[in-house]
Structure formats: C-alpha cells, structure tokens
C-alpha cells in the first residue's frame, strides 16, 4: 500500500468497523432494555407478522375465556333455580298424594291453596332465572370462546368461528308450570246440560269409547265394564281401569295411550264425567258400534261423532277430491324459541284418493320437520265422516290452504283459496287437588313434571361441562400461544448480555485502533524532515 496523507484508508476502514460495532451495541442495548428481540419491523419482518397474529389470537381467546366463565355463571344460576323448583315439586307431590287418598278427612281446599301457591312459586322462580316459556335463556345459546379452526386448519373462516363457539340448546328446557306439564288438557261432554245418571251409564255389558291422540292416530278402543257400578264414582273407576288395561296391551299405539295418562274424573257438580291428560292432546268418541251408555256419558247420539277434545286442535272438513284436484296446505306455528316454523303438504287427487291417505301424507310431512311441528298429529275421530282433526301439545298453530284448481274440495270443503284455520285452545287449566279425582291426575302430572325437570337439568349440566371444558382448553391454548409468541418476539437476555460485552470490547478496541490509524500519516513527516 502506498503511503498517503490525503486519504487515510486505514482510518476509514476503522471508522466503518466502529460504525458497525456501534449499531450492534445500540441494537443490543434496545433488546436488553425492552426485553424484545424484534424492536422494529426491520429486525424480523416475517417473525413480527407471525407474532402479531399470535398476540391478536390471544386477545380474542382471553375475552372468549371470560365469555365462557360468564356463561358458566349463568348456567350455575339457572341450575340453582332448578334445584329450588325440584324442592317445590317435592312439596307439591306430597300435597297431591295426601289429597288423592279417599281416607283423607281434612279440608282439601286448604291443601289446594298451598298447592296452587307452590305452582305459582315455580312460575316465579322460572321467570327469575330466565327459564320460563319464551324466557331470556330458554333458547339456543351460542357462547363464542375462540381458538377454533375449520376443517382445513384455517382460523379466519365461518367454520373456524363455528368451531370456536359452544352451543347450548335450552329451547326445550323451560321449567315453568306450563313447560313442566302442570296444566291439564280436559275434554268435557258436548252437552253442557246433560247429566249422567247411574242408569244412563250402565249400558249392556259396559261402555265402549275410542280415544285418539299422537301415537295412536287410528284410535284405541276402551271397553269399560260399567254395568255393575253402584255409583257414578264406580263408573269413573271402571273407565279408568279400562283405560289402564288398554294401555297395558302390547303395541306402539297402546303404549302411546298409556304415556298420554288420560284420566276420567267426576265433575265438581257430580253430574258429568270429564277426561283429562296432563301431557297430551286427545279426542274421545264413542266406539264404532256405539252404545247407549257411551252416548249418555258423552252427551251425544251420533255414532262416532267428535264429542270431546282436549288440547290445541282444529278440525278440517274433508270431501273426496274431484278429478285432477290439487291442494296445498301450509301448517305453521311459533316454536318454543319464538321462531316461525312451517311445513307444506301438497295433495293430489292422483295419489291421495282417500281420507286415510290424506291423513298419512299430513302426518309424514309433520314428522319430517324434526321440530315442534312434529308434535302435531292428524287423527280421524269420525271414521268415514267428513272430519280430519289436527291436534298437538306445543301451542296454537295455523293451517293455510291454497288451492291449485278452482274446483278443488280436498281437506277443506268448498276449496276456497287462501283459507286460514286457527287451532283453538281446549279446556285447559292448572292442575289442582281440590278433590280426590283431580289429585290423582295431579299425581300423574307431577311425575311427568319431575321427569321434565330432570331432562332440563341434564341439559343445563351438560352445558356447564361443555363450558368448563372450553375454559380449560382456552387456558391451555393461551399458554401455548404466549410461549410461541415469546420464542419469536422476546429477546434471549443471556445472549444479548454476551453481545453487549462483545460490542463494548470492540468499541474500545476500535477507538484505540482509530487513534493509531490517525497517527500513521504523521510518520510520513519524518521522511520529509530528512
């Protein structure tokens, strides 16, 4: 290298090394003081993008865990209220059992007053916890927790959002008196002025009834041996025994009849016989070969007439289709979640040639809905007549008939287009224990209520477990995400301390070297002095 005083190459080289060392020292100091490896995006652009995504996911998941804990608190409140209702049902069953005994010699009015106060308290508690019919929490709840992925592993899709949510369906878990079945569907005689006498009830060999309902659409015949009864109470007992015997016969229709828990009771005035069910809509007619006794008890003289019906129901007129006739029925209702649901039944003369086929098509369409409409059923209470009865337990429903041909008759006689038929509420009221007969019905209703409450508690308990699992998973994911972000973003302070020591030594050495490099041109002056 030539000796020069204009350009100190060595000094420039030392300066560049000092600049690099200074930058390293500054970066190391930033990392040590901030604790981060990535202080600015230039430090590791790709790593920063990944770390930011992890940090954002942690923010979502942290709030999601709080959401799940809030949901868990809500369900615990609901569970506590249901526990109180369980205790109330125990008290109600005690009172009903006491009143149902013929040996009871006290005042049933007092028992019934306490019983009704218990039922009201059930309604109050259910409303307080939001689990009354249509209540705040008596619906399908979605608790978003986060941390979900779709089938392909993506996190920013609808599938990931769905996977990160916990669904708890409480829409069928209301626990007020109505939802628990503490109301009765009651069918009374068609003639309000008709009074049953022992002579009228004692037909030749007994009384034949036919009972229709969900699961026993074709009807089950009940043969009550009332001829030997010595009192109206005896007639009632004979009818109830016959209903029980019919329900014990092997078969799906008789099993459904048994599940309906239909009970005959003597009316409060002692002149009529009522039929009640705590959990099912039903219809009663005299049997195909009606007896005078059945006509007397039911207050009708028309064989197979619809004489008594309990629950939500409506009767559609039926007449055979004319050639090429078609009709469309839309059956709709507001379900337990407050949503409008409906199904359409398209009837055609080419295939639906009899009332039985029409009923079958209606029932198939209702069952296929897989929602509250599936609880409706079409029955034939006047075999060979002009009626199709649609009944159910889920509340009021509407039938809308739209015709495709002007000559149409079908299930709505006359075939008027845009015809609405609303279901009407049957004679229904709160269960009571004012007499032994009603108390026996209450005992059955309360047994159903306990079962319904248990089913609701099971759904709430399952929801609590789901949310607990979600919280546990969320906390685990938070820890793993924080560790992953730390490995990318955080500084290794032990290494940075070593780098800082190295930078300090290099700086000191560089400054010393720069002093030497700056003094090197002065040596050339010795040549000039010569």
């Amino acid at each position: 290298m030539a000796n020069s005083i204009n350009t100190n190459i060595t000094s420039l080289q030392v300066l560049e090394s000092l600049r690099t060392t200074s930058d390293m020292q500054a970066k190391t100091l930033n990392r040590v003081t901030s604790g981060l490896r990535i202080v600015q995006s230039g430090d590791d652009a790709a790593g920063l993008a990944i770390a930011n995504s992890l940090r954002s996911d942690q923010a979502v998941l942290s709030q999601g865990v709080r959401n799940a804990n809030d949901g868990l608190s809500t369900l615990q409140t609901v569970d506590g209220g249901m526990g109180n209702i369980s205790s109330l049902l125990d008290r109600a069953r005690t009172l009903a059992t006491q009143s149902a005994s013929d040996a009871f010699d006290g005042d049933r009015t007092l028992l019934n007053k306490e019983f009704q106060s218990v039922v009201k308290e059930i309604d109050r508690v259910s409303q307080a916890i939001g689990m009354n019919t249509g209540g705040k929490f008596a619906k399908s709840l979605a608790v978003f927790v986060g941390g979900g992925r779709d089938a392909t592993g993506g996190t920013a899709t609808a599938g990931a959002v769905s996977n990160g949510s916990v669904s708890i369906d409480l829409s069928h878990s209301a626990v007020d008196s109505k939802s628990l079945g503490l109301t009765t569907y009651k069918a009374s005689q068609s003639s309000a002025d008709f009074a049953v006498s022992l002579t009228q009830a004692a037909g030749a060999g007994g009384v034949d009834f036919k009972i229709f309902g969900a699961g026993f659409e074709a009807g089950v015949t009940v043969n009550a041996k009332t001829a030997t009864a010595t009192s109206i109470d005896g007639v009632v007992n004979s009818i109830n025994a016959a209903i029980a015997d019919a329900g014990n016969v092997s078969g799906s229709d008789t099993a459904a009849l048994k599940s309906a828990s239909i009970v005959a009771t003597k009316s409060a005035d002692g002149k009529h016989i009522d039929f009640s069910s705590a959990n099912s809509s039903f219809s009663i007619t005299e049997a195909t070969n009606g007896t005078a006794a059945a006509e007397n008890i039911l207050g009708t003289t028309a064989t197979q007439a619809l004489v008594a019906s309990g629950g939500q129901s409506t009767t559609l007129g039926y007449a055979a289709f004319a050639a090429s006739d078609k009709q469309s029925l839309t059956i709709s209702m507001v379900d337990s979640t407050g949503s409008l649901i409906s199904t359409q039944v398209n009837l055609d003369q080419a295939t639906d040639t009899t009332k039985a086929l029409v009923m079958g098509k209606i029932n198939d369409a209702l069952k296929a809905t897989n929602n509250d409409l599936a609880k409706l059923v079409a029955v034939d209470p006047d075999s060979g007549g002009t009626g199709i009865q649609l009944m159910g337990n889920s509340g009021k429903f509407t039938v809308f008939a739209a015709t495709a041909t002007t000559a149409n008759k079908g299930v709505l006689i006359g075939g008027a287009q845009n015809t609405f038929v609303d279901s009407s509420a049957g004679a229904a009221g709160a269960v009571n224990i004012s007499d032994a007969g009603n108390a026996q019905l209450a005992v059955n209703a309360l047994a159903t209520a306990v079962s319904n409450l248990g089913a609701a508690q099971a759904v709430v308990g399952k929801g609590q477990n789901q949310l607990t699992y979600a919280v546990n998973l969320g906390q685990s994911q938070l820890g793993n995400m924080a560790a992953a972000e730390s490995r990318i973003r955080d500084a290794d302070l032990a290494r940075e301390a070593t780098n800082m020591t190295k930078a300090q030594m290099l700086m000191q050495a560089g400054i010393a070297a720069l002093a030497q490099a700056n003094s090197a041109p002065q040596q050339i002056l010795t040549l000039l002095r010569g």
Side-chain angles (χ1 to χ4, degrees):
M1 175 183 290
N3 291 316
S4 171
I5 61 174
N6 285 330
T7 303
N8 192 339
I9 302 300
T10 303
S11 176
L12 292 176
Q13 290 174 335
V14 172
L15 278 172
E16 177 62 21
S17 296
L18 274 173
R19 184 190 66 77
T20 302
T21 301
S22 178
D23 288 346
M24 182 183 74
Q25 185 180 42
K27 186 174 293 187
T28 301
L29 285 171
N30 279 338
R31 287 174 176 173
V32 170
T33 55
S34 69
L36 299 175
R37 182 181 70 86
I38 306 175
V39 179
Q40 54 190 6
S41 22
D43 295 337
D44 184 353
L48 181 64
I50 297 172
N52 284 343
S53 176
L54 288 169
R55 184 174 62 188
S56 180
D57 288 344
Q58 288 176 72
V60 171
L61 200 54
S62 295
Q63 181 58 51
V65 169
R66 288 194 290 273
N67 290 348
N69 281 320
D70 289 344
L72 192 57
S73 298
T74 297
L75 291 185
Q76 287 170 342
T77 301
V78 170
D79 192 31
M82 287 183 174
N84 288 339
I85 291 175
S86 180
S87 299
L88 290 167
L89 287 177
D90 291 344
R91 179 55 183 164
R93 293 189 81 182
T94 300
L95 293 169
T97 303
Q98 185 178 9
S99 181
S101 173
D102 288 334
F104 177 70
D105 194 31
D107 188 349
R108 284 191 172 88
T109 301
L110 294 177
L111 289 181
N112 189 51
K113 284 183 178 179
E114 182 180 353
F115 182 87
Q116 297 305 326
S117 70
V118 170
V119 173
K120 287 181 180 179
E121 181 63 11
I122 289 174
D123 285 334
R124 190 193 69 80
V125 172
S126 67
Q127 187 170 353
I129 62 175
M131 290 303 294
N132 54 310
T133 300
K136 182 177 181 180
F137 300 118
K139 58 186 178 182
S140 184
L141 305 175
V143 181
F144 182 68
V145 181
R149 295 182 181 275
D150 61 19
T152 62
T155 60
T157 64
V161 172
S162 176
N163 186 257
S165 299
V166 177
S167 296
I168 305 167
D169 187 5
L170 299 178
S171 59
H172 301 289
S173 299
V175 290
D176 56 352
S177 60
K178 178 182 177 181
S179 300
L180 292 177
L182 296 181
T183 55
T184 59
Y185 298 102
K186 183 172 289 186
S188 302
Q189 295 169 280
S190 59
S191 173
D193 299 326
F194 190 84
V196 175
S197 70
L198 197 57
T199 303
Q200 291 168 332
V207 180
D208 294 340
F209 298 111
K210 203 164 188 179
I211 308 178
F212 302 82
F216 47 107
E217 294 89 336
V220 175
T221 299
V222 174
N223 309 112
K225 307 301 182 183
T226 60
T228 58
T230 59
S231 65
I232 298 299
D233 287 329
V235 173
V236 169
N237 292 337
S238 298
I239 293 173
N240 285 329
I243 295 174
D245 289 342
N248 289 328
V249 175
S250 178
S252 59
D253 55 346
T254 51
L257 171 64
K258 184 175 183 178
S259 177
S261 302
I262 297 169
V263 177
T265 57
K266 184 174 67 173
S267 61
D269 61 8
K271 297 180 180 180
H272 304 280
I273 295 178
D274 297 328
F275 295 85
S276 303
S277 170
N279 53 36
S280 180
S281 292
F282 64 95
S283 288
I284 303 234
T285 73
E286 54 190 87
T288 305
N289 299 315
T291 64
E295 293 172 2
N296 289 334
I297 288 176
L298 296 174
T300 181
T301 57
T303 301
Q304 283 253 308
L306 174 63
V307 293
S309 179
Q312 295 290 139
S313 68
T314 194
T315 301
L316 307 176
Y318 171 80
F321 280 111
S324 301
D325 271 351
K326 294 181 180 180
Q327 187 172 57
S328 173
L329 295 180
T330 301
I331 305 170
S332 59
M333 68 184 302
V334 176
D335 69 6
S336 54
T337 68
S339 301
L340 180 66
I341 54 177
S342 64
T343 188
Q344 185 168 304
V345 186
N346 295 314
L347 303 171
D348 193 324
Q349 181 271 339
T351 54
D352 308 312
T353 55
T354 66
K355 184 164 74 166
L357 290 173
V358 168
M359 287 172 49
K361 199 162 195 178
I362 293 173
N363 284 327
D364 288 343
L366 291 169
K367 291 175 183 176
T369 60
N370 218 14
N371 54 35
D372 281 356
L373 286 173
K375 298 177 183 178
L376 300 178
V377 63
V379 303
D380 183 12
D382 61 343
S383 179
T386 59
I388 293 177
Q389 188 182 18
L390 201 59
M391 62 171 63
N393 307 328
S394 302
K396 184 177 179 179
F397 58 89
T398 300
V399 181
F400 169 76
T403 57
T405 58
T406 56
N408 171 266
K409 289 186 178 179
V411 294
L412 287 176
I413 294 177
Q417 292 185 344
N418 303 327
T419 301
F420 285 94
V421 180
D422 289 342
S423 65
S424 57
V431 171
N432 70 83
I433 58 172
S434 57
D435 56 56
N438 282 323
Q440 291 170 10
L441 182 64
V443 169
N444 292 333
L446 286 163
T448 301
V450 170
S451 176
N452 291 342
L453 178 64
Q457 286 177 304
V459 175
V460 171
K462 183 180 75 171
Q464 287 178 295
N465 289 337
Q466 284 179 275
L467 291 176
T468 299
Y469 299 146
V471 168
N472 292 341
L473 176 61
Q475 295 287 16
S476 175
Q477 287 177 301
L478 277 172
N480 291 331
M481 286 179 182
E485 183 193 5
S486 174
R487 281 189 287 270
I488 296 172
R489 192 191 296 273
D490 291 350
D492 182 347
L493 291 181
R495 173 174 294 186
E496 298 305 329
T498 300
N499 289 339
M500 188 166 61
T501 301
K502 176 182 175 181
Q504 289 173 343
M505 293 177 65
L506 288 173
M507 282 293 292
Q508 292 172 8
I511 290 171
L514 181 61
Q516 291 295 324
N518 287 335
S519 64
Q522 295 178 7
Q523 297 175 5
I524 298 175
L525 295 177
T526 59
L527 296 175
L528 297 176
R529 291 191 193 104

